[in-house]
Structures are given as C-alpha cells and as structure tokens.
Amino acid sequence: MLIELVQHAEDATDHNLPLMYWYAAEACVASDPDRALELLKVCKIPKVREFIARRLATQSLTSTK
C-alpha cells in the first residue's frame, strides 16, 4: 500500500502527507534496507526520498562500526 502512495507526485506539495508517508515507511527502512531501496526507486515525493536515503546512509554508517 505504501509503495502506491509514494508514487503520487501531487502529494509532494501537501503540508502533511509526505511526513505521514515517511512515518509509515521509517520502520520498514530500518528493518529491511532492500525493500527500502525498492521504495526509494519508485518514490515521487522528494521529501520522502530524502528521508529514505538519509536513513539508509546513516544506517549503513552505523552498521560498519
């Protein structure tokens, strides 16, 4: 369901939806990086893409320590 929602580019300008999508995605991004990459590939909401990429990057940095 989330994968369909983040493909709605028109939601990018909404005040609340991008953050709500991120809140829904954050746990998935943390627990399943491969699935998060798939989400990142289809996401058309810049703020959500930014958050996913940032979370993946910080997660990979902390896992190498």
Side-chain angles (χ1 to χ4, degrees):
M1 176 73 121
L2 183 59
I3 203 157
E4 289 87 10
L5 290 173
V6 299
Q7 293 180 54
H8 291 211
E10 66 274 11
D11 292 345
T13 58
D14 186 275
H15 184 70
N16 297 310
L17 289 177
L19 287 177
M20 292 179 71
Y21 296 162
W22 167 241
Y23 297 147
E26 198 277 333
C28 169
V29 173
S31 67
D32 192 347
D34 292 331
R35 191 167 175 201
L37 282 174
E38 293 303 315
L39 188 64
L40 184 60
K41 289 177 186 177
V42 299
C43 184
K44 295 181 180 172
I45 302 173
K47 184 61 78 175
V48 178
R49 280 197 318 260
E50 176 188 338
F51 289 151
I52 293 171
R54 185 181 302 167
R55 181 67 164 94
L56 286 170
T58 58
Q59 183 172 324
S60 67
L61 289 175
T62 59
S63 66
T64 60
K65 290 183 178 179

